[in-house]
Amino acid sequence: MENGPAIFAGTVFLLFGAALLAWTGARTLHRAPVAEGVRPVVAVPLALLAGGTSLALGVWCLARF
């Protein structure tokens, strides 16, 4: 019974992390701002950290069931 929420949460974390990393990479390649009003030196590493953390949480959730 507990596996359903773990699978759902893991899937959501993985999808969000992958989408955030892909979006950040695409914006960086096109030299477009990653976050409005934030310097790229700050925005890119924070977005990459958030995407990587989300992927790690997704793997952790799926590994627990």
Side-chain angles (χ1 to χ4, degrees), residues 4-65:
I7 293 170
F8 177 75
T11 303
V12 169
F13 277 126
L14 286 175
L15 287 174
F16 176 74
L20 183 60
L21 289 176
W23 182 80
T24 303
R27 298 292 287 182
T28 304
L29 281 175
H30 294 289
R31 302 232 185 248
V34 174
E36 191 67 36
V38 182
R39 295 181 320 196
V41 174
V42 176
V44 172
L46 285 177
L48 293 175
L49 180 66
T53 302
S54 183
L55 285 177
L57 282 171
V59 169
W60 181 74
C61 285
L62 292 177
R64 294 199 37 101
F65 77 92

